[in-house]
Amino acid sequence: PFYLGGDQLSAVDVELIPWACRYYAIDHYRSGLGHGNFSIPTDDPTLEPFHRWCAAAFALPSVAPTIPDRQRYIDHVIKYADGSAQSKVGDAVRAGRPAHELKID
């Protein structure tokens, strides 16, 4: 079920897992604020390989304990969704500057 086929994780799987298991936060905040529908349909047959990959990846003993609780994560990232994050990255975003241009002291 993994990216390169078979039952072994590849570097691609390892890179995508953290994003895939937190994607619901984008849907929660973007769709919830009227910016369109960001949900990933579960009834679309073309997405069946993606959902099979998620189920297999998220169930791995090396992955499952690292997946955050959904509500706790939603509560954690609200400060980025509503623009109230008190950080250099938050300051850059509010100023309309790319965060990668920040100078770290």
Side-chain angles (χ1 to χ4, degrees), residues 4-95:
L4 295 178
D7 59 357
Q8 296 295 314
L9 289 178
S10 70
V12 174
D13 298 299
V14 171
E15 291 294 324
L16 291 176
I17 288 169
W19 297 102
C21 76
R22 291 169 176 85
Y23 184 82
Y24 59 85
I26 294 171
D27 179 46
H28 178 84
Y29 286 112
R30 299 302 291 176
S31 297
L33 295 173
H35 296 289
N37 182 359
F38 285 80
S39 66
I40 298 174
T42 56
D43 59 352
D44 182 341
T46 64
L47 294 174
E48 187 177 314
F50 170 74
H51 294 294
R52 189 171 44 249
W53 172 82
C54 285
F58 301 170
L60 289 170
S62 58
V63 174
T66 69
I67 296 175
D69 173 75
R70 281 182 177 245
Q71 190 57 54
R72 190 169 172 198
Y73 189 70
I74 291 289
D75 294 345
H76 169 72
V77 297
I78 191 171
K79 59 188 167 236
Y80 299 99
D82 70 8
S84 65
Q86 298 299 310
S87 66
K88 289 184 178 187
V89 173
D91 293 344
V93 170
R94 280 187 293 280

Side-chain angles (χ1 to χ4, degrees), residues 87-93 95 97-105:
S87 66
K88 289 184 178 187
V89 173
D91 293 344
V93 170
R97 294 190 328 262
H100 68 271
E101 292 180 0
L102 290 175
K103 293 181 180 175
I104 306 297
D105 297 331

